[in-house]
């Protein structure tokens, strides 16, 4: 083999090595580009996730704010209804109290009412002996009707006439007055109790009025809510 042949072979080997080196370099370049693209994709996904989380967070904040606003509106509506309800009830109670006052001032009508209240209380208690308490202003009326009330109860219940002990030392509060409406008062009626005090029947006009209003409250509320809704 002469020098020309050797030179030719060396050149071929150099080309082969260079070609192989270029191919390796290209492979490395492609691999690096793929890694770069993957990292870039991961960054993009991470950014998208961050944006999505921020959006969801803001969406929740908006929902919470809407719920708070709705709750505040609902509470304001309820307060409005309750205030209106109080106004209506107070107005009705004031009118009813005036009626009760008129009833208690009607001597003959009130005397009969007291007797009926005593009989009703006796029917509830079903005791052989009871304590009775009334207003000081009503003492003479109660003493006048207590015996006949006890006898009428005995006839209705088919029992012996009970003993009614009228308390003449402690009385129910006095009638209500416009001068001082905040003090304790009683529009009339009686309170009966068993002698041991364990069973009590409050049959005052105010207690009966409260029962009537408690029954009417749902109807009052429905009307007021309907007015607010309109």
């Amino acid at each position: 083999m002469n020098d020309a042949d050797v030179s030719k072979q060396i050149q071929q080997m150099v080309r082969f090595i260079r070609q192989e080196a270029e191919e390796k370099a290209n492979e490395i370049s492609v691999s690096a580009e793929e890694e770069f693209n993957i990292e870039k994709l991961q960054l993009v996904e991470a950014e998208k996730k961050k944006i999505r989380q921020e959006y969801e967070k803001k969406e929740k904040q908006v929902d919470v704010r809407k719920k708070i606003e709705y709750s505040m509106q609902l509470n304001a509506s309820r307060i409005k209804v309750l205030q209106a309800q109080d106004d209506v009830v107070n107005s009705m109670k004031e009118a009813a109290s005036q009626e009760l006052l008129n009833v208690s001032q009607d001597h003959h009508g009130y005397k009969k009412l007291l007797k009926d209240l005593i009989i009703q209380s006796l029917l509830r208690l079903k005791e052989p002996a009871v304590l009775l308490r009334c207003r000081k202003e009503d003492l003479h009326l109660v003493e006048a009707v207590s015996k006949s009330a006890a006898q009428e109860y005995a006839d209705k219940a088919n029992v012996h006439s009970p003993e009614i002990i009228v308390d003449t030392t402690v009385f129910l509060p006095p009638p209500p007055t416009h001068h001082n409406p905040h003090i304790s008062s009683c529009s009339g009626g009686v309170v009966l109790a068993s002698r041991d005090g364990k069973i009590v029947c409050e049959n005052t006009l105010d207690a009966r009025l409260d029962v009537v209003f408690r029954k009417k409250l749902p109807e009052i509320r429905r009307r007021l809510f309907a007015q607010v809704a309109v």
Side-chain angles (χ1 to χ4, degrees):
M1 183 179 294
N2 55 30
D3 292 340
D5 293 333
V6 172
S7 176
K8 191 176 180 181
Q9 283 184 351
I10 291 171
Q11 287 177 358
Q12 288 176 348
M13 287 176 67
V14 169
R15 279 199 301 273
F16 176 75
I17 291 168
R18 186 176 293 165
Q19 186 179 354
E20 192 177 31
E22 287 178 356
E23 288 176 356
K24 288 287 184 185
N26 288 336
E27 286 179 7
I28 292 169
S29 177
V30 169
S31 177
E33 189 175 351
E34 287 177 352
E35 287 180 6
F36 174 76
N37 288 338
I38 290 170
E39 288 178 2
K40 189 175 180 181
L41 185 62
Q42 288 174 339
L43 288 172
V44 169
E45 287 298 325
E47 190 64 25
K48 282 167 65 178
K49 185 178 180 181
K50 184 179 177 183
I51 292 169
R52 187 163 55 250
Q53 287 174 341
E54 285 291 328
Y55 175 77
E56 289 173 353
K57 184 179 177 182
K58 287 181 181 178
E59 199 174 38
K60 284 179 182 177
Q61 288 175 345
V62 170
D63 288 342
V64 169
R65 195 179 298 114
K66 284 182 179 177
K67 287 178 181 176
I68 292 171
E69 288 174 359
Y70 175 74
S71 179
M72 289 174 68
Q73 289 173 357
L74 189 62
N75 286 337
S77 176
R78 283 175 177 166
I79 290 169
K80 187 177 178 182
V81 167
L82 290 173
Q83 287 174 342
Q85 174 187 301
D86 287 343
D87 292 342
V88 170
V89 170
N90 289 335
S91 175
M92 290 173 69
K93 278 193 174 183
E94 189 175 338
S97 295
Q98 187 59 46
E99 287 181 18
L100 293 179
L101 192 61
N102 294 339
V103 167
S104 63
Q105 288 173 348
D106 174 12
H107 182 81
H108 295 291
Y110 184 55
K111 185 177 179 180
K112 183 180 182 306
L113 176 62
L114 281 174
K115 182 179 177 180
D116 291 340
L117 292 174
I118 292 170
I119 294 169
Q120 188 182 63
S121 301
L122 290 170
L123 287 166
R124 288 181 185 174
L125 291 174
K126 297 181 176 63
E127 292 285 318
V130 296
L131 299 170
L132 184 150
R133 189 170 290 174
C134 63
R135 300 185 306 182
K136 193 171 185 178
E137 294 83 354
D138 299 337
L139 183 60
H140 64 292
L141 292 175
V142 168
E143 288 178 334
V145 299
S146 58
K147 286 185 179 178
S148 59
Q151 188 56 53
E152 192 169 327
Y153 156 73
D155 295 339
K156 285 185 177 182
N158 197 23
V159 295
H160 291 295
S161 180
E163 181 187 6
I164 299 178
I165 304 163
V166 180
D167 192 342
T168 57
T169 57
V170 180
F171 298 96
L172 298 180
T177 62
H178 295 293
H179 301 296
N180 198 348
H182 299 294
I183 63 170
S184 180
S185 63
C186 176
S187 299
V190 291
V191 174
L192 273 71
S194 57
R195 293 195 69 170
D196 58 9
K198 290 183 179 179
I199 309 171
V200 179
C201 177
E202 183 179 351
N203 221 350
T204 63
L205 302 185
D206 303 280
R208 293 169 70 84
L209 183 65
D210 282 340
V211 171
V212 170
F213 274 110
R214 278 199 297 273
K215 288 180 179 178
K216 285 187 176 182
L217 277 180
E219 181 185 345
I220 293 170
R221 286 195 188 100
R222 279 197 299 272
R223 287 181 183 177
L224 291 172
F225 270 117
Q227 290 174 9
V228 172
V230 172

